[in-house]
Amino acid sequence: MGIDSGTEHGTEPGPGTDPEAEADQAAPTRGDLAELRELTTELTRFMLAYKFATDEMMTKINILKEEFASIHDYSPIEHVNSRLKTPEGILKKAVRKGCPLVLDDIRAQIQDIAGIRITCSFISDTYRILDMLTSQLDVTVLEVKDYIAAPKPNGYKSLHLIVDIPVFLSDRVDEVTVEIQIRTVAMDFWASLEHKIYYKYHGAVPVDLVGDLKQAADAANRLDLKMEGLHDQVLAMEPDGSGETHLLEIAGLSQLALPEGLLAAIGRARAAESAPVTEPEDEDETEAEATG
């Protein structure tokens, strides 16, 4: 038999109940709706600020990547990707950290809401990118953790930095934190595998597998060192200027193609500017020499 659900099956409400009063109590008031709209707007602004901060940092990184690809012999940046924590992910992390569920507290205590990962070819490239990003005037470095020089016990290696950048909105400027990880291709491959194993075992990774991961991390480090050594040998064998990219070969920028005629004209003008200026001879001296 089904469960009788009151008035739906013709049963009258029990004594002392007022259906209209219950409906009024359940319906949101105008004040409740206004508060909900305000909370929605505040949360939307909160998330947008981190998205815009990510967009700004990605633009900075992609500018460096395109510059190196266009006018240098190679780019130290292999890949770049970004991610933004979902509101659910932020809430879970706040609960784990014991952070009050207040946006200002979340902003102060959770600094990896916006994240960017840069993958480089060589270990030296990671420090090169670190220096280029942290030297930009509108990037404030809050923290740097060098897990390349001092790896984690499990073998994890990477550069981690927390930066603060201004996000200019319509009515204010928000200072927003972004976490940036910089690592080599080998480090990234190892970290990706370790991450999958960690979640497969829900954090309780078997001891023998932990040992294998540490050995794999050591092998990845040896590979990094070997590949960088080979790279340095190749650079040492190249004659000066042999690795420079021709100005006409601007990767992906066909609209900026430079005609040979334009280059030649600019070259002639530059040569003319740098040529020594000869002062004209005095006319009286010239005439005296002619009559003498």
Side-chain angles (χ1 to χ4, degrees), residues 61-62 64-70 72-79 119-122 125 128-129 132:
I61 296 165
N62 284 324
L64 294 175
K65 185 177 180 180
E66 288 191 24
E67 177 194 356
F68 274 99
S70 298
H72 295 288
D73 54 348
Y74 93 106
S75 174
I77 301 173
E78 289 285 347
H79 307 290
T119 308
C120 304
S121 297
F122 308 107
D125 291 337
R128 190 178 185 186
I129 296 301
M132 285 190 289

Side-chain angles (χ1 to χ4, degrees), residues 12-40:
E12 293 297 327
T17 60
D18 184 349
E20 292 185 2
E22 290 180 355
D24 290 341
Q25 186 176 6
T29 64
R30 182 173 298 179
D32 292 336
L33 292 175
E35 184 177 353
L36 180 61
R37 281 195 298 269
E38 182 180 354
L39 179 60
T40 301

Side-chain angles (χ1 to χ4, degrees), residues 11-291:
T11 304
E12 293 297 327
T17 60
D18 184 349
E20 292 185 2
E22 290 180 355
D24 290 341
Q25 186 176 6
T29 64
R30 182 173 298 179
D32 292 336
L33 292 175
E35 184 177 353
L36 180 61
R37 281 195 298 269
E38 182 180 354
L39 179 60
T40 301
T41 301
E42 188 177 357
L43 183 58
T44 301
R45 281 182 174 271
F46 178 84
M47 295 302 300
L48 281 176
Y50 284 96
K51 178 189 180 299
F52 296 152
T54 305
D55 292 343
E56 285 189 32
M57 285 306 306
M58 287 293 289
T59 298
K60 291 175 178 294
I61 296 165
N62 284 324
I63 286 173
L64 294 175
K65 185 177 180 180
E66 288 191 24
E67 177 194 356
F68 274 99
S70 298
I71 64 175
H72 295 288
D73 54 348
Y74 93 106
S75 174
I77 301 173
E78 289 285 347
H79 307 290
V80 186
N81 54 55
S82 64
R83 66 106 183 95
L84 192 66
K85 281 187 183 295
T86 63
E88 293 81 6
I90 297 171
L91 177 62
K92 288 179 180 178
K93 185 158 188 176
V95 171
R96 285 200 310 269
K97 290 174 63 72
C99 173
L101 300 182
V102 178
L103 293 184
D104 286 341
D105 291 304
I106 292 174
R107 188 180 290 109
Q109 296 187 35
I110 302 179
Q111 297 185 317
D112 64 343
I113 294 174
I116 295 175
R117 182 178 302 146
I118 304 172
T119 308
C120 304
S121 297
F122 308 107
I123 295 174
S124 59
D125 291 337
T126 63
Y127 292 101
R128 190 178 185 186
I129 296 301
L130 173 67
D131 291 340
M132 285 190 289
L133 290 177
T134 56
S135 64
Q136 298 195 17
L137 296 180
D138 57 344
V139 176
T140 302
V141 181
L142 302 180
E143 183 180 54
V144 176
K145 292 183 178 179
D146 188 348
Y147 293 118
I148 296 178
K152 290 186 177 182
N154 64 349
Y156 175 84
K157 286 190 168 189
S158 182
L159 288 177
H160 286 201
L161 59 152
I162 304 293
V163 299
D164 186 280
I165 63 170
V167 174
F168 293 86
L169 301 172
S170 60
D171 58 348
R172 65 182 187 272
V173 179
D174 280 350
E175 298 291 335
V176 183
T177 57
V178 179
E179 182 192 50
I180 304 175
Q181 298 178 359
I182 312 173
R183 58 180 66 149
T184 67
V185 175
M187 295 174 193
D188 189 60
F189 178 61
W190 183 92
S192 176
L193 178 61
E194 191 268 349
H195 182 78
K196 292 175 183 176
I197 292 174
Y198 180 86
Y199 276 96
K200 177 178 177 62
Y201 288 96
H202 305 287
V205 182
V207 176
D208 57 339
L209 200 51
V210 172
D212 288 342
L213 278 171
K214 180 62 171 67
Q215 292 179 15
D218 294 339
N221 181 58
R222 289 193 298 271
L223 177 63
D224 269 334
L225 296 175
K226 183 65 175 178
M227 296 301 291
E228 182 141 16
L230 291 172
H231 177 67
D232 291 341
Q233 290 180 40
V234 171
L235 291 180
M237 290 186 293
E238 288 183 354
D240 292 340
S242 63
E244 293 181 1
T245 303
H246 195 279
L247 284 176
L248 293 179
E249 300 173 358
I250 302 180
L253 298 177
S254 58
Q255 70 272 25
L256 296 181
L258 304 176
E260 292 282 1
L262 175 60
L263 290 176
I266 293 175
R268 288 194 298 270
R270 180 176 296 177
E273 278 188 7
S274 59
V277 178
T278 56
E279 297 184 1
E281 297 181 1
D282 186 77
E283 292 182 3
D284 293 338
E285 291 180 1
T286 305
E287 291 179 2
E289 290 177 359
T291 56

